[in-house]
Amino acid sequence: MVSFNILIAVCFAYVAFLFGIAFYADRRAQQGRLKFLHSPLIYTLSLSIYCTAWTFYGAVGNAARSGLEFVTIYLGPSLVMVGWWWLLRRLVRIGRAQRITSIADLISSRFGKSNLLGVLVTLLAVVGTTPYIALQLQSVTLSFSVFSRDLSAGFMQTDLASTAFWVAVGLMLFTVLFGTRNLDANERHHGVVTAIAFEAIVKLIALLSVGAFVVWSIADGPADILARMDASPIANWQIRPGRWAGLIFLSAAAFLCLPRMFQVMVVESADERNLAMAGWAFPLYLMLMSLFVLPIAVVGLELLPKGSNPDLFVLTLPLSQGQDGLALLSFLGGFSSATSMVIVAAIALSTMVSNHIVMPVWVSLRSSGATVSGDLRQVVLTARRVSIMVVVGLGYLYYRISGGGAALASIGLISFVGVSQVLPVLLGGLFWRRATKVAAAAGLITGFAIWLYTLFLPSIGGAGVLSESVMQQGLFGVGILRPQGLFGTGGLDPVVHAIFWSMFLNSFVFFAVSLFTFPTPLERLQGVQFVNVFEHSPGPRGWTSGAAGAEDLLVMSQRILGAQQAQKLFEAEARAQGKLGHLPDSSPAFLERLERELAGSVGSATAHAMIGQIAEGASVSVQDLMAVADEAAQIMEYSSQLEAKSAELGRTAQQLSEANEKLTRLSVQKDAFLSQISHELRTPMTSIRAFSEILRDMDALTPKDQTRYATIIHDETLRLTRLLDDLLDLSVLENGQVTLNREQVNLHDILNRAIGAALAPQDDEPIRIERNITFESAMLVTDGDRLSQVFINLISNARKYCSAPDPALTISVQTGHDQLQIDFVDNGAGIPAHQQPLVFEKFARLTDHARAGGAGLGLAICREIMNNLGGAIDCLPDQSGAAFRVTVPLQVETQEKANETRIS
């Protein structure tokens, strides 16, 4: 048998070799030679941190006790890795985008960078991982006991405790030396990860070697192994579906939530594309790790003395066959499994403790704030180193209190259930924007309390934490509160019982409280970034400009990042902003970038708090968001108003253009009118003057000539009278001074009177009138003389201007709801479309003036008459000839009747 001293020497040599690998990897990283260190192979092998002493030693022991149940611990992670595209890719993307340093930092950052949640997850992780660290110490201690020379005399319990103590001290030293070299967690621990990858190969080779030895050296090959299985007690094992389903779920949840797994899977990930290889390679690795578990268990039960510890079959079987070298290789495999787990778990937990407990307390206690002089890096490093010692020390303490006698698998399951309490909050935060930090805290506390009461405390019941009466009769003597029989479910397996109630109540409280609470603005911003991580750029803007001094920020950054790195960051930002100095403006973009850089060292919550302290509350508040929303709404409203005003101005400009064009035409008409009116006045006056002078000066005129000249003077006088009457009539109508004689009249009679007046015997051929008298018998209350004047004007215009060979005018009547429409349509050439808007203007004459024979006031007078009668006159477009429509109300209340009605 290998001597104990040689075993110690081999351990020291192995640890020294790991030191060399870690040192070499760190040197390559410092030189920028990162290709191999960032390769998918290293990433996949680093995930083997999942395979701890539990899977190396405890899987065989579990198989000896429970048959194939050990497979469940491998199935859960394999399912998660196969489905990496849906969940792990999102986790890694968020980790890189938000510079996440731990699972506590992820939960804290998702829910508004709440340090309270960070503290809760940290405490849960520390307490949940403590049994797991104790498991590693127990496995290493037991493996040492196997090789002890004093084994024949009995390796005393005090010796086991002493060995566990010195193993814990050694793990503390290694972790402190290589786990706290870099302060920025996002620079990654290349040395530690590379050493873990090497240990993954060692433990795989060791387990495969022992398995191959058992199958082909002790047994006669696979066929013999199968025959031995049939004769083994393991063949009588019966599957329990409920426990199987619970353990598969539990192993998958723990794979996602274990701090050490999150560390290597998310924090240490250099490229999310590495998941593509890890998605199939890691399940293959787990399959190889479990390949010979059952053969080793079967042969161990058959060959080793009854009562031998099945957890140590991997060691004791080679030793029993005189294979000291193989046993030593197996010991190194188990030692690698245990040490790698403790190292990475201690690093992850120390980061969580320092970022979410030590640093927030330190910042709050320092009255000078975050800008006080001094190197904060040393404070953070010291906090992490002390945290590593405390975490490993807690594992050793649990080992001593629990007695170290429990099976390795049972201890591992206790730890799995504890850390899995983060799962509801984790999944809710990744996929549900409505989740709130209050609900997350309530769910975590609920699940943590149920786990403590139903599984963790009963596991150390021998220490007097829970009395026997509580275990048997329940808390306060209430039977439904028994730790392993809550609400009458005592028939369940203890682990399944704890899984069911802790996860159910945790999830129920989390989702229920989320529905009754509302996320803060920062929670909503972070929620969008997490849930829609593939659509959004990294990180929300959470700062306002000008709130923090660049010098104070530089002082703080130098103490965390180091002087050189901080100055380089600030100078680069200053150059990007176009500034000559080394201090940039404290813009929101720069504050966000600085927060993300600091988050890599002290966590997002602490970085946010430190910048917020300097910025004096510059983080986004409800008022800020409401102000932004109000301002955005005002801008949108103002933009809408501008668009409306722009459209209105466009319409106004168009109307002005049309009015200008119309005024231009009217100006031309006015000039023509003035010329015409002067001609109209001058012509009769000249005629009157000339013929009156003839009558005055010429005595030899015959009576016939005198009569003829007097008639001319009389006609020209009537012509002047008509012109003056038209001008006076239009002026009276426009000023509303006309007196209307409303009475009940018959439309047919008015049309007959108008036609008779307009078509008085003339020298030329009169126009033909077409009527349908069926609809002309309507009775109107109106001024018949004024309405007749309108009809006369329209009929006269048709007679004068209709250019058809056989001129005709169609007069048609239509009765509406409360009005009467009389259309006058001739068969002439009609009125051009561009001149139709001008026909009702004063002085408008659309044909030659000689043919018109008037001053162009007729239609203008008609429009004013109809306005005073309460009706209208319009020019109808798109007709075969000139077309006008006169609209007359069927009943119009006279002013006198209206007054009488109001008086009565």
Side-chain angles (χ1 to χ4, degrees):
M1 180 179 290
V2 178
S3 68
F4 189 78
N5 292 333
I6 293 177
L7 189 65
I8 295 298
V10 170
C11 288
F12 274 112
Y14 180 73
V15 171
F17 186 70
L18 291 180
F19 266 96
I21 293 176
F23 182 78
Y24 174 73
D26 279 341
R27 287 293 298 272
R28 285 179 62 95
Q30 292 173 2
Q31 296 170 2
R33 300 160 63 187
L34 299 172
K35 184 176 181 180
F36 177 71
L37 301 178
H38 290 173
S39 66
L41 177 62
I42 296 295
Y43 179 75
T44 301
L45 290 175
S46 69
L47 296 179
S48 69
I49 195 69
Y50 178 78
C51 299
T52 64
W54 174 14
T55 54
F56 192 87
Y57 293 126
V60 176
N62 195 16
R65 299 181 184 96
S66 305
L68 288 175
E69 188 177 282
F70 75 94
V71 177
T72 59
I73 304 304
Y74 299 98
L75 289 178
S78 297
L79 293 175
V80 173
M81 290 306 302
V82 169
W84 65 271
W85 181 264
W86 292 277
L87 182 58
L88 295 184
R89 186 172 67 105
R90 178 183 294 269
L91 271 178
V92 173
R93 177 71 64 87
I94 291 173
R96 302 304 299 164
Q98 300 287 333
R99 293 183 67 84
I100 299 300
T101 60
S102 65
I103 190 169
D105 193 29
L106 177 79
I107 301 300
S108 170
S109 180
R110 163 58 181 89
F111 294 98
K113 305 188 178 182
S114 168
N115 196 61
L116 171 63
L117 283 179
V119 171
L120 288 176
V121 176
T122 299
L123 293 177
L124 175 61
V126 169
V127 178
T129 308
T130 296
Y132 221 143
I133 295 177
L135 183 153
Q136 314 310 312
L137 296 178
Q138 177 177 329
S139 64
V140 174
T141 302
L142 290 175
S143 63
F144 269 113
S145 69
V146 171
F147 287 91
S148 174
R149 287 188 174 183
D150 298 329
L151 187 60
S152 58
F155 196 71
M156 303 301 294
Q157 185 68 24
T158 55
D159 298 321
L160 288 173
S162 177
T163 303
F165 174 78
W166 289 112
V167 169
V169 171
L171 292 175
M172 288 179 190
L173 292 177
F174 184 90
T175 308
V176 167
L177 288 175
F178 281 92
T180 57
R181 290 169 61 87
N182 293 324
L183 182 57
D184 190 345
N186 282 113
E187 290 177 4
R188 292 179 294 277
H189 307 88
H190 297 102
V192 173
V193 171
T194 306
I196 291 170
F198 174 78
E199 289 186 301
I201 299 174
V202 171
K203 57 191 176 186
L204 179 61
I205 293 175
L207 197 55
L208 290 177
S209 299
V210 174
F213 171 75
V214 168
V215 174
W216 283 282
S217 293
I218 299 178
D220 292 331
D224 186 27
I225 286 293
L226 292 176
R228 292 173 184 247
M229 286 182 184
D230 290 337
S232 171
I234 296 178
N236 299 323
W237 169 80
Q238 297 294 326
I239 187 173
R240 290 184 287 173
R243 182 172 169 86
W244 261 64
L247 292 182
I248 292 175
F249 168 80
L250 179 62
S251 60
F255 184 75
L256 290 170
C257 301
L258 282 168
R260 70 175 189 276
M261 293 309 305
F262 191 89
Q263 180 74 28
V264 296
M265 190 163 49
V266 177
V267 178
E268 303 289 349
S269 174
D271 191 341
E272 68 184 47
R273 290 175 294 183
N274 291 341
L275 287 168
M277 175 179 173
W280 62 265
F282 184 65
L284 177 62
Y285 181 91
L286 293 180
M287 187 272 291
L288 293 175
M289 286 292 293
S290 62
L291 183 61
F292 293 107
V293 168
L294 204 58
I296 295 173
V298 169
V299 175
L301 289 174
E302 179 182 343
L303 298 183
L304 294 177
K306 187 176 182 179
S308 298
N309 188 351
D311 290 330
L312 299 176
F313 281 177
V314 177
L315 286 176
T316 54
L317 263 178
L319 286 175
S320 68
Q321 302 300 313
Q323 299 293 324
D324 292 350
L326 183 59
L328 184 59
L329 178 61
S330 178
F331 170 81
L332 288 179
F335 185 77
S336 298
S337 300
T339 54
S340 60
M341 177 272 160
V342 175
I343 291 170
V344 178
I347 291 173
L349 292 175
S350 67
T351 301
M352 295 163 65
V353 171
S354 63
N355 289 354
H356 297 285
I357 297 178
V358 177
M359 290 308 302
V361 172
W362 185 89
V363 171
S364 63
L365 293 180
R366 296 300 293 257
S367 58
S368 53
T371 60
V372 66
S373 61
D375 189 5
L376 188 60
R377 291 168 58 88
Q378 192 59 43
V379 177
V380 178
L381 289 174
T382 301
R384 291 189 180 178
R385 289 164 181 164
V386 173
S387 299
I388 289 172
M389 298 178 186
V390 171
V391 167
V392 179
L394 287 174
Y396 173 75
L397 183 63
Y398 182 91
Y399 168 77
R400 291 298 305 270
I401 293 176
S402 64
L408 298 181
S410 62
I411 299 176
L413 292 176
I414 293 171
S415 182
F416 271 22
V417 177
V419 296
S420 297
Q421 301 307 313
V422 181
L423 184 66
V425 175
L426 175 65
L427 296 181
L430 292 180
F431 296 100
W432 191 29
R433 291 171 56 183
R434 185 65 176 79
T436 67
K437 66 181 178 182
V438 176
L444 285 172
I445 293 173
T446 301
F448 185 54
I450 297 298
W451 169 70
L452 282 176
Y453 184 66
T454 60
L455 201 61
F456 182 80
L457 294 181
S459 71
I460 54 176
V465 179
L466 286 181
S467 65
E468 186 65 23
S469 62
V470 174
M471 295 294 298
Q472 297 298 325
Q473 301 175 14
L475 191 65
F476 309 119
V478 180
I480 61 173
L481 296 182
R482 288 188 298 116
Q484 296 183 344
L486 284 181
F487 308 110
T489 55
L492 291 176
D493 176 84
V495 174
V496 176
H497 171 269
I499 295 172
F500 174 77
W501 284 114
S502 62
M503 298 302 293
F504 170 73
L505 294 177
N506 184 339
S507 303
F508 176 78
V509 171
F510 171 62
F511 287 103
V513 176
S514 291
L515 296 177
F516 289 96
T517 56
F518 196 75
T520 64
L522 191 54
E523 286 181 71
R524 295 199 297 273
L525 292 174
Q526 288 294 94
V528 171
Q529 295 295 320
F530 275 64
V531 175
N532 303 324
V533 65
F534 298 111
E535 290 80 23
H536 288 265
S537 59
R541 293 283 180 255
W543 304 102
T544 54
S545 59
E551 293 183 0
D552 292 338
L553 292 173
L554 178 59
V555 171
M556 178 190 66
S557 302
Q558 287 176 333
R559 294 165 52 224
I560 298 176
L561 303 175
Q564 183 177 0
Q565 183 179 351
Q567 291 173 7
K568 183 178 179 181
L569 174 64
F570 275 66
E571 290 174 358
E573 182 66 22
R575 287 194 301 270
Q577 294 180 1
K579 299 177 70 68
L580 298 177
H582 65 279
L583 291 178
D585 293 332
S586 301
S587 64
F590 174 61
L591 290 177
E592 177 64 23
R593 179 185 175 189
L594 180 60
E595 179 186 342
R596 296 168 63 80
E597 291 292 334
L598 297 179
S601 298
V602 295
S604 60
T606 302
H608 188 78
M610 296 180 75
I611 294 181
Q613 187 182 52
I614 295 177
E616 296 179 351
S619 58
V620 174
S621 64
V622 176
Q623 291 77 12
D624 293 333
L625 290 178
M626 293 302 296
V628 171
D630 289 342
E631 183 178 356
Q634 292 173 4
I635 291 174
M636 293 178 64
E637 181 180 359
Y638 182 65
S639 176
S640 300
Q641 293 177 355
L642 286 179
E643 292 178 359
K645 290 182 178 179
S646 177
E648 183 179 355
L649 287 175
R651 292 191 297 269
T652 303
Q654 180 67 24
Q655 293 172 355
L656 288 175
S657 176
E658 295 173 356
N660 182 63
E661 183 179 350
K662 184 177 180 179
L663 288 173
T664 301
R665 293 195 298 267
L666 289 176
S667 177
V668 173
Q669 291 180 2
K670 181 193 68 174
D671 294 338
F673 164 76
L674 293 176
S675 175
Q676 178 65 23
I677 202 68
S678 62
H679 172 75
E680 292 290 339
L681 291 173
R682 187 182 301 112
T683 298
M685 293 297 293
T686 301
S687 298
I688 292 172
R689 179 180 177 183
F691 286 107
S692 63
E693 289 177 351
I694 292 173
L695 290 174
R696 185 192 63 185
D697 297 334
M698 297 182 66
D699 297 330
L701 290 177
T702 63
K704 183 178 179 180
D705 290 332
Q706 291 178 353
T707 301
R708 182 165 63 87
Y709 293 154
T711 302
I712 292 174
I713 293 174
H714 180 265
D715 291 339
E716 293 297 325
T717 303
L718 292 177
R719 181 179 174 186
L720 280 175
T721 302
R722 288 195 304 270
L723 178 61
L724 294 176
D725 287 341
D726 286 344
L727 290 173
L728 180 61
D729 199 11
L730 182 61
S731 176
V732 170
L733 290 170
E734 287 180 339
N735 294 327
Q737 298 174 349
V738 63
T739 300
L740 298 176
N741 183 22
R742 295 182 185 276
E743 58 183 358
Q744 192 173 23
V745 295
N746 186 282
L747 177 62
H748 179 73
D749 296 339
I750 295 177
L751 284 173
N752 286 337
R753 189 198 318 169
I755 293 172
L759 299 182
Q762 302 289 335
D763 295 335
D764 54 350
E765 184 177 352
I767 191 171
R768 177 166 47 86
I769 304 297
E770 298 179 355
R771 300 167 60 186
N772 187 350
I773 63 174
T774 304
F775 302 97
E776 293 180 1
S777 60
M779 300 300 296
L780 304 174
V781 178
T782 186
D783 190 328
D785 292 336
R786 289 293 185 179
L787 185 59
S788 177
Q789 183 180 351
V790 173
F791 292 164
I792 292 172
N793 187 279
L794 293 176
I795 297 171
S796 299
N797 286 343
R799 182 180 61 81
K800 292 178 184 178
Y801 302 119
C802 184
S803 59
D806 181 18
L809 176 66
T810 301
I811 302 176
S812 59
V813 180
Q814 301 175 8
T815 303
H817 175 64
D818 56 355
Q819 61 185 10
L820 205 64
Q821 295 177 344
I822 306 100
D823 292 344
F824 297 81
V825 183
D826 65 28
N827 61 347
I831 303 173
H834 69 279
Q835 291 183 335
Q836 288 180 4
L838 301 175
V839 295
F840 294 106
E841 301 297 334
K842 290 179 289 187
F843 323 126
R845 290 186 296 183
L846 307 181
T847 60
D848 62 283
H849 297 169
R851 184 177 180 182
L857 299 176
L859 288 177
I861 294 173
C862 291
R863 180 185 63 183
E864 294 301 325
I865 289 174
M866 294 310 303
N867 288 339
N868 281 271
L869 292 177
I873 182 172
D874 301 288
C875 179
L876 300 179
D878 302 325
Q879 300 292 328
S880 58
F884 293 87
R885 170 172 292 171
V886 178
T887 302
V888 183
L890 290 176
Q891 290 186 354
V892 176
E893 187 181 43
T894 63
Q895 186 66 30
E896 293 79 3
K897 289 183 178 180
N899 292 336
E900 292 176 0
T901 301
R902 285 192 289 270
I903 293 174
S904 61

